[in-house]
Amino acid sequence: MRLFSCPNCGALVSFHNTQCLTCGQTLVFDDGAQAFILGLTPCRNRAEIDCNWASTAGEGGLCRSCDMTEVVPETFHGDNRALWGETELSKRRALAMLARWGWFGPSDPGPAPSFHLLSEETSAGPRDVVMAHASGVITINVMEADVVERVERRETLGEKLRTMVGHVRHETAHFLFERLAAGPEFLEAFRALMGDERADYSAALQRYYAEGPEDGWEGRFITRYASMHPHEDWAETVTHLLHLTDIIDGAVACRWPVPDDADLAYDPYAETDAEEIIRRGVYYGMAVNHINQSVGVGDLYPFVLTDAVREKLAFAHRWLSRGGAPR
């Protein structure tokens, strides 16, 4: 994620800021312009969850991101309001980055996903919430916006990385698959590389949790879960492509060049060579891993990208970087 400037005084501000810490200016983000702009009407959810995006429908309207949310948790129950707010922030971040490639923003003529943000804690008692995508609807469990809850589940599932923005990116990747699959050229190339997505998903899921990943999965898949089914291979691959691209974007914003390249205006979302995204992303990931170890913090990006994984990342980049406009 890049850094931004206050439209009033020019001071540096971050994507999540609602007010400039230098001059006190109220900040409203225009997701189409990818900038904070004066004179915009804020999203109706600003008072509810500190949403700092601009309304797309004038006074009393929701922003583009909040308008995609069809269901929210009971805001009067427990910590649900705060968890909803943290989940929406992760969603805005994921959507803002995809908009850099032309997805779901003002220039995208195609459909956008709908989000159901649910909590396991309700006034009627606890309930199960499974994160998933089905028929254009993305379900996210807001309980994992709680850091302790998320870390416990990560440890239970034996995962290396588990974040809210990762959840949003993963489930949105399933929706993006449906958008891309409308063209036969994509499906033919996908099946040749990742397998036939028409394979029985329920059977694959049961087999995965009963038997674990297939032997040698580390050489072919970015995560254990990616080995479960071609749909999950795609979703995990896309998630990591977005992670790597955003890592680069943040590093460049902090004026941190890669070795032998002093281009501090580099835009990873304009890059056409996926291998360059991988090269830079891996460099920054390993560098921050080393820095984190200095203070005993876990690795930022604890993954090994094999040749097979790099090929899949390049495939995802080739299709997603084209954007959502008709081709």
Side-chain angles (χ1 to χ4, degrees):
M1 172 65 74
R2 62 178 62 171
L3 291 169
F4 300 91
S5 60
C6 170
N8 184 56
C9 72
L12 285 178
V13 294
S14 295
F15 179 74
H16 64 273
N17 287 152
T18 57
Q19 187 176 42
C20 175
L21 299 179
T22 301
C23 71
Q25 173 67 47
T26 297
L27 298 174
V28 183
F29 187 78
D30 184 325
D31 65 297
Q34 292 275 312
F36 289 100
I37 297 178
L38 293 174
L40 298 179
T41 301
C43 174
R44 187 174 74 218
N45 279 339
R46 189 180 187 93
E48 288 276 348
I49 55 171
D50 287 333
C51 178
N52 65 352
W53 278 24
S55 165
T56 57
E59 191 69 32
L62 295 172
C63 69
R64 192 179 309 279
S65 176
C66 287
D67 193 45
M68 293 183 192
T69 301
E70 291 185 338
V71 180
V72 302
E74 296 172 307
T75 56
F76 57 84
H77 187 77
D79 296 327
N80 282 349
R81 186 188 300 275
L83 297 174
W84 170 35
E86 287 297 316
T87 303
E88 288 283 6
L89 175 58
S90 294
K91 176 156 72 76
R92 290 197 298 276
R93 185 183 190 100
L95 292 174
M97 296 299 91
L98 282 168
R100 299 267 292 277
W101 276 334
W103 293 100
F104 310 137
S107 63
D108 183 0
S114 299
F115 288 82
H116 290 187
L117 307 183
L118 307 179
S119 174
E120 295 173 355
E121 299 295 332
T122 75
S123 57
R127 68 168 179 179
D128 292 331
V129 177
V130 178
M131 298 207 204
H133 166 264
S135 302
V137 176
I138 292 171
T139 300
I140 299 291
N141 184 355
V142 303
M143 295 296 294
E144 291 207 31
D146 180 274
V147 175
V148 174
E149 186 72 35
R150 191 169 61 250
V151 169
E152 287 180 352
R153 298 184 189 206
R154 186 194 71 200
E155 293 298 318
T156 299
L157 294 169
E159 296 177 337
K160 296 181 179 180
L161 182 67
R162 191 176 180 92
T163 65
M164 285 306 287
V165 72
H167 285 315
V168 176
R169 284 171 173 164
H170 178 101
E171 300 304 339
T172 304
H174 287 305
F175 180 85
L176 288 166
F177 180 91
E178 292 195 352
R179 286 277 304 266
L180 292 168
E185 182 186 352
F186 169 79
L187 281 179
E188 181 179 352
F190 174 86
R191 289 168 184 166
L193 180 64
M194 294 188 174
D196 193 338
E197 84 290 351
R198 295 168 295 186
D200 191 312
Y201 185 90
S202 296
L205 185 65
Q206 292 177 1
R207 184 168 55 252
Y208 174 79
Y209 282 113
E211 304 173 7
E214 62 185 69
D215 291 339
W217 67 268
E218 298 93 339
R220 298 172 49 215
F221 302 96
I222 185 67
T223 64
R224 292 165 56 97
Y225 191 61
S227 70
M228 193 270 285
H229 188 277
H231 272 309
E232 300 307 337
D233 194 8
W234 163 260
E236 289 286 89
T237 299
V238 169
T239 299
H240 280 260
L241 172 65
L242 296 173
H243 284 343
L244 291 168
T245 309
D246 205 9
I247 286 171
I248 300 168
D249 206 41
V252 172
C254 294
R255 304 186 63 77
W256 182 6
V258 297
D260 304 320
D261 185 353
D263 181 10
L264 296 177
Y266 178 77
D267 182 358
Y269 290 91
E271 178 61 71
T272 59
D273 183 358
E275 188 57 38
E276 186 64 16
I277 294 288
I278 296 168
R279 183 182 77 87
R280 290 173 181 257
V282 167
Y283 167 76
Y284 288 127
M286 292 180 64
V288 177
N289 289 350
H290 181 67
I291 293 170
N292 283 3
Q293 291 161 13
S294 301
V295 293
V297 177
D299 289 348
L300 169 75
Y301 193 72
F303 298 92
V304 176
L305 305 183
T306 65
D307 288 344
V309 168
R310 287 169 180 254
E311 184 180 6
K312 293 174 184 179
L313 288 167
F315 173 80
H317 180 265
R318 184 162 64 252
W319 285 93
L320 293 181
S321 62
R322 299 180 182 184
R327 286 177 286 276

